Amino acid sequence: MRKILTALALLASAPAAAFGGSAGADSLEFLNIGVGARPAAMGEAFTAVADDANAVYWNPAGLARLRRKEVSFMYGKWFEDIDYGLISYAHPFRRFVLGAYVSHLTYGKIQGYDVDGVPTAGKLEPADLSLGAAPNRELAEAIEGKA
């Protein structure tokens, strides 16, 4: 099972490695946008205290501290029709906590051009999507055999 999960993780990260580093631009930069009101208010110094539904994004180890279901929503309207939204959810079960999030960034409508520089008929609507999930349980309980 562990080998299968490792293989899936490697396969999931392969597209990012293959497309990273085009001329004049970085890929996946939208992932550097911090999420959650509380983490933003703390200047994004949230990794050490991640103890709510946003922990699935900032520090999945913090999910182990959750004792009840939590959901977090975020939406931001930026300049030039750029919109960013996120929903994260954490659900504690008897032996572990499962968290997941979906984030979406849209850039508005932009004019497309062909290889000759002629405008195309219609507008493009570029967007980015990120999905994440993390299972977790307290290590102390697992070591002591209480889990």
Side-chain angles (χ1 to χ4, degrees):
M1 180 68 171
R2 197 172 270 184
K3 289 181 182 180
I4 292 172
L5 291 175
T6 302
L8 287 174
L10 289 173
L11 286 173
S13 64
F19 295 109
S22 61
D26 292 328
S27 62
L28 305 175
E29 277 297 310
F30 81 102
L31 295 175
N32 288 329
I33 300 171
V35 302
R38 184 173 164 218
M42 296 175 64
E44 298 185 358
F46 192 68
T47 304
V49 295
D51 59 357
D52 61 14
N54 293 310
V56 70
Y57 179 89
W58 290 99
N59 181 4
L63 290 172
R65 293 187 242 169
L66 292 179
R67 299 295 176 243
R68 65 178 193 269
K69 299 177 216 172
E70 290 192 16
V71 66
S72 175
F73 301 96
M74 183 180 119
Y75 174 79
K77 181 99 173 134
W78 291 13
F79 57 90
E80 297 290 328
D81 296 328
I82 297 175
D83 298 317
Y84 182 71
L86 175 124
I87 180 170
S88 59
Y89 178 73
H91 188 110
F93 293 93
R94 198 166 66 99
R95 295 183 176 229
F96 67 98
V97 178
L98 181 64
Y101 77 91
V102 177
S103 68
H104 188 261
L105 181 69
T106 59
Y107 300 96
K109 294 182 180 182
I110 60 172
Q111 179 64 51
Y113 294 89
D114 65 15
V115 294
D116 297 321
V118 178
T120 59
K123 304 274 185 175
L124 302 174
E125 296 184 42
D128 287 311
L129 177 69
S130 173
L131 308 170
N136 197 328
R137 72 178 193 181
E138 288 190 30
L139 185 58
E141 289 182 4
I143 291 172
E144 293 173 7
K146 296 179 182 176

